[in-house]
Amino acid sequence: EDFSGITREEARGIRQSGESVGEAIVDNGVSESEIRDFFEDQAEDRVDTLVDEYDLSDESETNLRDAISDFVEKMIERLFKVRTAE
């Protein structure tokens, strides 16, 4: 909410109306590249936490870090997805 300017309830309403949550965030003044950077930073922080808390092997850490870009792309696609009438 601090980053996007949109509450969970507002995001739910946007999705239910068939609109794109990503576009609503952009309309609030956050660029798509800033959204992407936010997701990447959050994912990197999560990997750091997992590595520290669970003493992951270098291989496991590398695998997690390699998966971040795919994760971010899927999140961006989901965020900017527009519901279509069926």
Side-chain angles (χ1 to χ4, degrees):
E1 183 177 334
D2 290 338
F3 174 76
S4 67
I6 296 174
T7 66
R8 285 180 186 256
E9 294 78 24
E10 289 170 330
R12 189 174 305 122
I14 291 166
R15 278 193 296 277
Q16 289 174 347
S17 71
E19 297 175 28
S20 160
V21 174
E23 289 300 325
I25 294 171
V26 169
D27 289 346
N28 280 349
V30 180
S31 71
E32 187 173 334
S33 66
E34 289 172 315
I35 296 169
R36 187 177 307 277
D37 290 345
F38 176 79
F39 283 137
E40 288 172 358
D41 291 345
Q42 293 293 307
E44 289 285 351
D45 289 348
R46 183 68 180 135
V47 170
D48 291 342
T49 299
L50 290 170
V51 169
D52 291 344
E53 287 184 10
Y54 298 101
D55 194 28
L56 296 182
S57 68
D58 290 344
E59 181 180 0
S60 293
E61 179 181 358
T62 298
N63 290 340
L64 286 171
R65 292 197 191 282
D66 287 348
I68 288 175
S69 63
D70 287 338
F71 165 77
V72 170
E73 285 307 313
K74 287 177 184 173
M75 292 301 296
I76 292 291
E77 287 174 18
R78 181 177 174 208
L79 196 64
F80 283 89
K81 183 177 182 178
V82 176
R83 275 190 169 174
T84 56
E86 294 181 24

